[in-house]
């Protein structure tokens, strides 16, 4: 039996000669390049397969080893028309993509696994990724410095900044006061006070110049504003200092583990780097060529499908398995053909096309399916358009949204870092295996499970919100829709504001001037260019519109927290090259750094006067961002309404200062001569945008990214780390800690453990998201995690975020179910609390779970529909596991999260159709028992017995024998560790590989 380490990337003649599909080997370039050619099967079914399925077939053929991938799997994929949705097939991607929030727990687990196998006398060097892994450090950026909303005295070392003995080297130097009588704030509403006068605090008391000089950061509206370059550098400096421990660990990983490439901070967002630098379309390794493919620890990994690269998001647990050589197991997917027809409306941006397609596909009910685009309309979409569309497939629950390689794709790569020789090889290979598409001939269209036709000409500008991405609102109806949200009862859209309070206006002072806030007032406006809006045309539209707005004399009110977060240096490059960046700056949208910030909750506090006004009037204040996530309260606790919008609309709503505006009938503002300026007056034409894009988005942009990738940064390059096989854990560290997942690891598989007399830790409703389960934003000062960090003598300024501390299980376990928006039916109001049933006390979720564990009481969770929707992150399963949760009983699960639960040894149990906690009259206060048979099987039906004497049936959502095996081991990590220990005893070169 042969065992290939991940995707077969060697053309060793002995190996290929023994390969069951050696007869399919073909050659290119006079025989110097070899590849497996499925067309040599001579089976007419191949040319009718969707192109995404053809990639699955090629991978199965190439990696057919008789164990993980069998000839039966190859035949099942080839017989896709009959087997779709019925059988499980393996998939071994060419590479794994990690971002640091989800990547750090994966690497921490591997480091801990080395410790675990070493305790069994096994060489820890055997624990290494078998699949190439890229880890991009991009999620640690926080907005400490922006033009109008600055954290008070940001201090990466924490503690009292006035104490010279506490981290003096890490304090941020104060900016000197400006000289003369210059006004602060520039064109964003200059304050009447000079820079050297005593500016008022939020409480109205004057602050002396001496006090200001002792403050690490000065308000830019009273002193000289920080320049765009300096502001970005300062944010980056804060990021590097704040996350020094994590970066030290990443640096060790890059040296200790084979097959790991770490992309340091300040290069770009993970999705941008993947698109611009890491994507290959095809791999050529040791003379063998095969399609590029990837799985990533982020739901937005799917962007890469816009370039014809097959890829999707998985949890950190699944990614670790792939890293260690185990394939992903997936149900042979149904493939929905999305036929695009019609012409794009000139005023519609890519985000409008994205959200229009998202709405159509969400309504089509395509959860868990592949989507593949075809039809004449595809040719109108540029490669950036396609990646923007592919990014949104998690929002309609498809696995991927795939655009096959075609002439548009090749045109895109000619602008990037692909040489002409590589392009010729790419095209020759893709055509040889029939993976190249032309939309001119409909006879080439594959057969699909079903076809959905979308007319591009029907797309009009939309935003999404105020709480969910799927709630789209036509811009023309925005004013009316927001008013209806105020009237509606509290729910997915409503805020239930009484009629008499809907017209309230609250005055407040900011920088010496009086302003007013009302319902719908915009207080956060963030232009973000990653994921949805990485498309250069969208960013250039916003920039050209900013230029026209400034030229017309329009301004953004200075209290609005504005920011510009490019996905990479490429974006800054083309904004600067096109001449629009200075106009962004003049409106307050200055570059704050490179990485994820606003979307993941890393937003600086709003000015206190703004917060006080919002609270005083109980206002529904608004945030507008061109990102991809905007759950209620995620951007800022006091900002209840948040809208996803295209970058130009973010700028438009920031200028307007409110979402309650009809752009067709109401002006954005007035010129200096008093002339009304409407949105249509400053919106650039499609031709203007395209011409600017052609002139600026050129190969030099991608060369600049490559330079940044290879050069790194000075801070990263100077980090020293130990040259050791196992990581030297620092027990004082609050960032990196060895997790307890391998405690009491036995060599043999334990028998299935039934659940006896469990209590329900939580009683939840529908749409519980991963943000509810494991928040990624800031750590609240009154939370269980905060109490732990304070016990380690850390100040609130040192808390950082949950995302940054995912390498510390003590923090993350306490942060599980710590969302302020968690709706627990035991409590009856939002908050991270639950009922400790034996004592009837209301406690933090962690404190209640800790009591149950001390008493030896197993736990379950009761939930409604769509449990676990949202971003992929492994702590949504690891956290409940460490809280002592043995099973989650829900009406339905988000597929990725269900897999994560299985991967941690937690049973996902589904109520039978038509049943839920209410129909079964469960109060949640019963005790629950689930008896497991000695032999488990996929989709097993189990009986749950309650202490009331009632019982009901549930389905254990084990989808495959592999799921069953992983669960029996107590989770994927323990399965992998046992396999390494077991296989280390086998003699021969295959000792480190996985085998039964």
């Amino acid at each position: 039996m042969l065992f290939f380490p991940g995707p077969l990337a060697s053309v060793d003649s002995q190996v290929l000669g023994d390969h069951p599909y050696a007869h399919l080997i073909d050659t290119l370039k006079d025989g110097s390049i070899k590849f497996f050619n499925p067309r040599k099967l001579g089976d007419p079914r191949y040319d009718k397969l969707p192109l995404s399925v053809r990639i699955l077939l090629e991978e199965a053929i190439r990696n057919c080893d008789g164990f993980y991938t069998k000839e039966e799997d190859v035949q099942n994929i080839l017989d896709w028309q009959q087997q779709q949705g019925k059988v499980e097939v393996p998939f071994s991607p060419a590479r794994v993509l990690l971002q640091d929030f989800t990547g750090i727990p994966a690497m921490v687990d591997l480091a801990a696994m080395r410790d675990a196998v070493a305790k069994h006398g096994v060489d820890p060097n055997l624990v290494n990724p078998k699949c190439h892994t890229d880890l991009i450090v991009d999620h640690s950026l926080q907005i400490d410095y922006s033009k109008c909303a600055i954290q008070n005295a940001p201090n990466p070392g924490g503690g009292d900044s006035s104490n010279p003995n506490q981290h003096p080297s890490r304090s941020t130097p104060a900016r000197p006061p400006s000289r003369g009588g210059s006004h602060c704030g520039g064109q964003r509403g200059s304050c009447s006070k000079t820079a050297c006068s005593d500016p008022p605090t939020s409480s109205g008391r004057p602050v002396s110049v001496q006090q200001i000089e002792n403050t690490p950061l000065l308000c830019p509206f009273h002193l000289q504003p920080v320049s765009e370059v300096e502001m970005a550098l300062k944010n980056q400096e804060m990021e590097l200092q704040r996350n020094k421990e994590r970066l030290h660990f990443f640096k060790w990983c890059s040296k200790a583990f084979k097959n790991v490439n770490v992309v340091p901070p300040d290069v770009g967002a993970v999705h941008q780097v993947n698109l611009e630098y890491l994507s290959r379309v095809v791999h050529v390794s040791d003379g063998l060529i095969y399609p590029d493919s990837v799985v990533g620890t982020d739901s937005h990994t799917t962007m890469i499908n816009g370039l014809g690269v097959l890829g999707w998001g998985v949890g950190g647990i699944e990614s670790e398995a792939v890293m260690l050589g185990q394939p992903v197991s997936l149900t042979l997917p149904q493939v929905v053909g999305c036929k695009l027809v019609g012409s794009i409306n000139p005023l519609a941006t890519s985000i409008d096309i994205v959200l229009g397609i998202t709405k159509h596909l969400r309504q089509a009910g395509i959860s868990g399916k592949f989507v593949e685009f075809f039809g004449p309309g595809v040719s109108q979409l540029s490669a950036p358009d396609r990646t923007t569309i592919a990014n949104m497939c998690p929002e309609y629950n498809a696995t991927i949204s795939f655009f096959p390689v075609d002439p548009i794709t090749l045109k895109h790569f000619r602008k990037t870092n692909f040489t002409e020789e590589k392009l010729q090889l790419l095209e020759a290979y893709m055509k040889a295996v029939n993976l190249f598409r032309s939309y001119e001939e409909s006879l080439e269209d594959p057969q699909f499970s079903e076809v959905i036709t979308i007319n591009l000409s029907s797309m009009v500008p939309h935003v999404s919100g105020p709480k969910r991405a799927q709630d789209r609102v036509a811009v023309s109806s925005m004013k009316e829709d927001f008013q209806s949200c105020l009237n509606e009862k509290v729910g997915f859209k409503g805020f239930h504001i009484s009629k008499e309070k809907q017209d309230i206006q609250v005055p407040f002072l900011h920088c010496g001037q009086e302003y007013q806030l009302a319902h719908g007032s915009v207080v956060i406006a963030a232009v973000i260019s990653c994921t949805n809006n990485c498309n250069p045309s969208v960013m250039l539209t916003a920039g050209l519109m900013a230029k026209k707005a400034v030229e017309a004399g329009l301004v953004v009110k200075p209290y609005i927290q504005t920011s510009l977060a490019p996905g990479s240096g490429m974006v800054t490059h083309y904004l600067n090259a096109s001449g629009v960046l200075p106009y962004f700056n003049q409106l307050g949208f200055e570059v704050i750094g490179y990485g994820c910030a606003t979307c993941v909750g890393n937003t600086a506090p709003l000015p206190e006067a703004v917060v006080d006004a919002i609270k005083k009037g109980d206002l529904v204040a608004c945030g507008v961002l061109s990102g991809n996530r905007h759950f209620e309260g995620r951007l800022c606790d006091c900002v209840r309404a948040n809208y996803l919008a295209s970058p130009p609309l973010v700028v438009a709503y920031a200028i307007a200062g409110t979402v309650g505006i009809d752009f067709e009938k109401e002006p954005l503002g007035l010129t200096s001569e008093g002339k009304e300026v409407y949105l249509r007056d400053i919106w650039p034409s499609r031709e203007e945008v395209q011409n600017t894009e052609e002139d600026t988005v050129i190969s030099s942009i991608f060369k600049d990214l490559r330079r940044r990738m290879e050069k790194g940064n000075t801070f990263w390059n100077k980090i020293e780390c130990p040259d050791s096989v196992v990581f030297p854990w620092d027990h004082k560290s609050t960032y990196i800690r060895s997790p307890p997942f391998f405690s009491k690891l036995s060599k043999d598989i334990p028998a299935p453990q039934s659940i006896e007399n469990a209590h329900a830790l939580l009683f939840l409703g529908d749409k519980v998201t991963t943000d509810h389960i494991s928040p990624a934003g800031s750590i609240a000062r009154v939370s269980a995690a905060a109490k732990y960090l304070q016990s380690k003598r850390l100040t609130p300024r040192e808390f950082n975020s949950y995302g940054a501390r995912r390498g510390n299980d003590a923090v993350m376990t306490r942060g599980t179910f710590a969302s302020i928006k968690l709706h627990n039916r035991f409590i009856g109001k939002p908050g991270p609390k639950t009922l400790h049933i034996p004592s009837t006390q209301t406690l933090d979720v962690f404190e209640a779970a800790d009591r149950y564990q001390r008493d030896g009481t197993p736990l379950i969770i009761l939930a409604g529909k769509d449990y676990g929707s949202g971003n992929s992150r492994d702590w949504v399963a690891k956290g409940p596991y460490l809280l002592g949760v043995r099973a989650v009983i829900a009406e339905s699960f988000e597929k990725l999260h269900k897999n994560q639960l299985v991967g941690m040894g937690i049973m996902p149990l589904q109520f039978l159709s038509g049943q839920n906690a209410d129909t079964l009259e469960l109060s949640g206060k019963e005790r629950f028992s689930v008896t497991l048979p000695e032999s488990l099987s996929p989709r097993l039906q189990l009986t749950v017995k309650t202490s009331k004497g009632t019982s009901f049936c549930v389905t254990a959502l084990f989808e495959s024998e592999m799921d069953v095996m992983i669960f029996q081991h107590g989770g994927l990590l323990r399965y992998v560790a046992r396999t390494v220990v077991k296989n280390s005893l086998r003699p021969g070169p295959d000792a480190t590989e996985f085998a039964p």
Side-chain angles (χ1 to χ4, degrees):
M1 183 179 294
L2 294 173
F3 295 92
F4 303 123
L8 179 62
S10 171
V11 291
D12 181 85
S13 58
Q14 180 64 42
V15 172
L16 293 184
D18 294 336
H19 196 286
Y21 289 99
H23 60 287
L24 301 184
I25 294 174
D26 211 337
T27 62
L28 292 171
K29 298 185 67 173
D30 300 324
S32 61
I33 300 292
K34 296 184 178 181
F35 64 98
F36 287 88
N37 191 347
R39 300 183 78 177
K40 293 183 72 174
L41 289 168
D43 195 312
R45 292 176 294 179
Y46 177 74
D47 289 335
K48 289 297 182 182
L49 292 176
L51 277 72
S52 52
V53 176
R54 296 179 203 179
I55 294 176
L56 293 179
L57 179 63
E58 186 282 336
E59 181 280 323
I61 290 173
R62 175 165 40 89
N63 290 295
C64 187
D65 60 6
F67 171 55
Y68 280 132
T69 305
K70 304 175 182 178
E71 292 185 53
E72 178 186 359
D73 297 316
V74 173
Q75 292 304 314
N76 281 337
I77 299 174
L78 188 60
D79 193 27
W80 171 80
Q81 281 288 354
Q82 302 301 319
Q83 299 297 332
Q84 56 180 301
K86 298 178 181 178
V87 298
E88 291 284 316
V89 294
F91 176 63
S92 295
R95 54 192 176 93
V96 174
L97 184 70
L98 307 175
Q99 45 96 333
D100 56 321
F101 269 19
T102 49
I104 194 167
M107 301 310 298
V108 166
D109 289 344
L110 293 187
M113 190 182 296
R114 282 194 168 188
D115 294 340
V117 301
K119 291 178 181 178
H120 284 276
V122 175
D123 182 3
N125 271 315
L126 298 182
V127 177
N128 272 304
K130 302 297 181 184
C131 183
H132 178 80
T133 301
D134 294 296
L135 192 156
I136 292 85
V137 184
D138 76 322
H139 271 50
S140 56
L141 178 68
Q142 294 190 30
I143 305 174
D144 294 293
Y145 297 80
S146 70
K147 185 161 185 177
C148 70
I150 312 294
Q151 284 189 357
N152 293 325
N155 187 347
D160 185 355
S161 61
S162 65
N163 183 353
N165 299 319
Q166 192 167 22
H167 306 295
S169 63
R170 295 165 81 178
S171 63
T172 307
R175 291 183 52 80
S178 63
R179 303 301 176 191
S182 61
H183 290 71
C184 66
Q187 293 192 31
R188 291 200 57 205
S190 299
C191 135
S192 60
K193 296 183 179 290
T194 63
C196 292
S197 65
D198 292 339
T201 65
S202 60
S203 63
R205 293 188 300 271
V207 178
S208 69
V209 172
Q210 182 63 39
Q211 285 177 304
I212 293 178
E213 290 175 345
N214 288 333
T215 304
L217 182 67
L218 303 176
C219 172
F221 294 105
H222 292 94
L223 301 176
Q224 290 294 329
V226 180
S227 69
E228 179 270 321
V229 175
E230 186 177 357
M231 184 164 59
L233 290 175
K234 285 181 175 292
N235 277 314
Q236 292 155 15
E237 181 182 354
M238 292 287 290
E239 174 188 8
L240 297 173
Q241 291 288 354
R242 180 184 285 120
N243 296 282
K244 188 174 181 179
E245 288 182 41
R246 300 168 66 245
L247 298 178
H248 178 269
F249 175 72
F250 285 142
K251 193 69 173 282
W252 175 83
C253 291
S254 67
K255 293 185 176 181
F257 291 108
K258 300 176 182 177
N259 239 355
V260 173
N261 170 48
V262 177
V263 178
D266 192 32
V267 171
V270 57
H271 320 294
Q272 292 290 103
V273 174
N274 190 28
L275 288 170
E276 298 165 14
Y277 185 83
L278 302 175
S279 61
R280 298 166 173 82
V281 186
V282 294
H283 280 261
V284 180
S285 179
D286 295 330
L288 182 72
I289 188 170
Y290 53 95
D292 186 17
S293 56
V294 62
V295 293
T297 56
D298 194 288
S299 57
H300 298 283
T301 303
T302 53
M303 290 187 80
I304 203 66
N305 291 278
L307 298 180
V309 177
L310 193 66
W312 60 86
V314 297
I317 301 166
E318 294 92 338
S319 70
E320 291 173 45
V322 176
M323 290 163 62
L324 292 166
Q326 182 181 336
V328 174
S329 178
L330 74 155
T331 303
L332 187 61
Q334 294 179 299
V335 182
V336 177
C338 187
K339 186 175 184 179
L340 301 182
V341 299
S343 300
I344 298 175
N345 186 315
L347 294 180
T349 65
S350 294
I351 195 66
D352 298 317
I353 304 299
V354 168
L355 296 178
I357 291 175
T358 298
K359 179 180 179 181
H360 279 85
L361 295 180
R362 179 178 286 277
Q363 293 173 343
I366 56 172
S367 178
K369 300 177 183 178
F370 281 16
V371 175
E372 186 167 310
F373 290 85
F374 75 110
V378 176
S379 299
Q380 299 177 57
L381 303 176
S382 66
D385 288 334
R386 299 175 187 191
T387 58
T388 308
I389 293 168
N391 168 65
M392 288 298 281
C393 75
E395 300 299 338
Y396 44 82
N397 291 325
T399 303
I400 65 166
S401 291
F402 188 74
F403 288 85
V405 174
D406 69 349
I408 301 296
T409 316
L410 298 183
K411 179 181 178 182
H412 168 75
F413 282 118
R414 281 192 172 89
K415 296 180 180 180
T416 64
N417 53 17
F418 275 51
T419 64
E420 192 62 34
E421 180 183 7
K422 184 173 181 179
L423 282 171
Q424 291 175 1
L425 178 61
L426 185 159
E427 184 175 0
Y429 170 71
M430 300 301 274
K431 288 182 176 179
V433 294
N434 205 7
L435 288 174
F436 193 86
R437 269 295 338 235
S438 171
Y439 301 104
E440 297 177 357
E441 182 53 65
S442 60
L443 293 177
E444 294 183 15
D445 292 346
Q447 294 179 352
F448 295 104
S449 306
E450 61 177 298
V451 173
I452 298 172
T453 301
I454 297 178
N455 191 333
L456 295 176
S457 62
S458 66
M459 306 300 176
V460 296
H462 282 78
V463 297
S464 289
K467 302 180 183 181
R468 303 187 304 174
Q470 62 264 38
D471 295 326
R472 300 177 68 234
V473 184
V475 173
S476 59
S477 304
M478 180 64 167
K479 185 174 183 178
E480 296 174 0
D481 187 82
F482 182 75
Q483 185 63 42
S484 69
C485 290
L486 296 180
N487 294 327
E488 289 181 18
K489 294 181 179 179
V490 174
F492 293 138
K493 291 197 68 172
F495 298 101
H496 201 219
I497 305 297
S498 60
K499 292 286 187 181
E500 61 272 15
K501 294 184 179 180
Q502 290 183 9
D503 295 326
I504 187 173
Q505 293 191 343
V506 181
F508 69 99
L509 286 176
H510 181 78
C511 288
Q513 292 189 18
E514 182 175 304
Y515 300 92
Q516 290 188 332
L517 289 181
H519 294 294
S521 290
V522 174
V523 294
I524 296 176
V527 173
I528 304 163
S529 69
C530 71
T531 60
N532 297 20
N533 295 294
C534 68
N535 191 319
S537 67
V538 180
M539 291 298 293
L540 289 172
T541 300
L544 291 170
M545 194 179 80
K547 179 176 182 291
K548 293 186 177 185
V550 170
E551 291 172 345
L554 300 180
V555 298
V556 174
K557 293 180 177 65
Y559 61 81
I560 299 177
Q561 186 188 95
T562 50
S563 60
L564 172 59
S568 74
M570 184 196 81
V571 180
T572 304
H573 181 101
Y574 68 68
L575 291 178
N576 192 50
S578 63
V580 300
L581 192 58
Y583 298 98
F584 267 127
N585 294 343
Q586 288 188 59
L587 291 180
F589 292 94
E590 296 191 341
V591 175
I592 53 87
Y594 301 94
C596 292
T598 304
C599 281
V600 294
N602 291 348
T603 305
L606 296 173
E608 289 188 22
V610 172
V611 175
D612 291 343
I614 293 172
K615 292 181 178 178
K616 181 179 179 180
D618 190 25
L619 299 177
V620 180
C622 298
V624 186
L625 69 155
S626 58
N628 60 75
R629 295 289 182 190
H630 66 329
F631 299 118
E632 184 179 4
R634 186 172 190 173
L635 303 189
C636 182
D637 290 351
C638 63
V639 181
R640 286 188 276 173
N642 297 294
Y643 289 91
L644 300 183
S646 64
L649 285 177
V650 172
V651 176
Y653 280 114
I655 294 171
T658 178
V659 299
I661 181 173
D662 185 338
F663 287 130
E664 287 293 321
K665 301 176 181 178
E666 300 175 59
L668 289 174
L670 303 175
T671 66
S672 56
E673 293 80 22
K675 180 183 177 182
E676 294 181 339
V677 180
Y678 290 83
L679 179 61
R680 57 181 174 269
D681 299 326
I682 61 173
W683 191 280
S685 68
R686 191 173 184 83
E687 291 75 19
E688 185 179 359
V689 173
Q690 290 177 341
N691 290 337
T692 305
E693 182 178 7
E694 290 173 2
D695 293 338
T696 57
V697 185
I698 54 177
S699 60
S700 63
I701 293 171
F702 296 89
K703 291 178 182 177
D704 179 67
L705 175 65
R706 178 175 289 276
R707 178 190 61 78
R708 293 162 65 90
M709 286 281 293
E710 295 172 351
K711 182 180 178 182
N713 60 64
T714 302
F715 187 97
W716 171 262
N717 295 336
K718 288 183 177 179
I719 292 177
E720 296 181 359
C721 62
D723 188 15
S724 57
V725 176
V726 295
F727 184 68
W729 306 98
D730 180 358
H731 297 292
K732 296 180 181 179
S733 173
T734 56
Y735 278 98
I736 309 294
R737 204 173 95 135
S738 182
F741 302 128
F742 303 100
S743 62
K744 300 179 181 179
L745 178 70
S746 61
K747 292 183 179 180
D748 299 320
I749 306 175
Q753 298 293 312
S754 297
I755 300 175
E756 299 290 342
N757 292 317
H759 271 304
L761 177 63
L762 297 160
F763 191 4
L764 306 173
D766 297 340
K767 294 287 183 182
V768 175
T769 70
T770 51
D771 265 30
H772 291 125
I773 302 171
S774 183
S778 59
I779 298 172
R781 297 189 180 195
V782 296
S783 65
K787 294 175 185 176
Y788 166 80
L789 293 173
Q790 287 170 336
S791 74
K792 300 296 181 181
R793 298 187 176 181
L794 299 183
T795 67
R797 290 175 186 170
E798 297 174 285
F799 286 175
N800 210 324
S801 65
Y802 284 113
R805 293 194 180 272
R806 285 184 182 176
N808 185 326
D809 64 278
V811 173
M812 297 308 297
T813 305
R814 288 165 172 81
T816 304
F817 297 109
S819 169
I820 61 171
K821 298 300 179 182
L822 180 71
H823 286 266
N824 181 3
R825 293 173 64 175
F826 283 150
I827 303 302
K829 61 181 180 179
K833 301 287 184 179
T834 195
L835 177 69
H836 181 251
I837 297 171
S839 67
T840 70
Q841 287 183 283
T842 297
L843 303 171
D844 285 338
V845 174
F846 172 80
E847 293 174 354
D850 187 52
R851 284 199 191 182
Y852 283 124
Q853 290 200 65
R854 289 201 304 266
D855 295 338
T857 303
L859 297 171
I860 67 164
I861 292 172
L862 294 173
K865 299 175 182 176
D866 299 325
Y867 180 79
S869 58
N871 300 66
S872 67
R873 55 185 73 151
D874 53 355
W875 274 106
V876 295
K878 289 178 178 178
Y881 170 83
L882 293 180
L883 289 177
V885 174
R886 296 283 308 280
V888 178
I889 306 176
E891 289 186 69
S892 63
F893 293 83
E894 197 277 332
K895 182 178 180 181
L896 182 57
H897 181 57
K898 180 210 65 174
N899 293 340
Q900 292 169 330
L901 292 175
V902 174
M904 284 309 302
I906 297 175
M907 284 193 294
L909 303 178
Q910 187 171 27
F911 289 110
L912 298 185
S913 179
Q915 293 185 349
N916 55 40
D918 292 330
T919 62
L920 295 170
E921 298 182 349
L922 298 177
S923 69
K925 299 178 182 180
E926 304 87 349
R927 302 197 75 159
F928 301 85
S929 299
V930 184
T931 302
L932 299 183
E934 292 185 6
S935 178
L936 300 177
S937 60
R939 309 281 308 182
L940 180 69
Q941 192 168 103
L942 300 171
T943 300
V944 180
K945 296 181 180 179
T946 75
S947 56
K948 295 192 305 184
T950 61
S951 64
F952 56 94
C953 292
V954 292
T955 302
L957 298 183
F958 305 131
E959 302 295 345
S960 65
E961 293 295 340
M962 180 62 73
D963 279 358
V964 172
M965 182 187 300
I966 289 171
F967 175 76
Q968 288 178 321
H969 274 271
L972 188 57
L973 295 174
R974 299 174 79 87
Y975 162 70
V976 171
R978 283 196 184 97
T979 305
V980 172
V981 172
K982 178 180 178 182
N983 289 345
S984 68
L985 304 177
R986 290 197 299 119
D990 297 328
T992 63
E993 302 304 326
F994 293 89

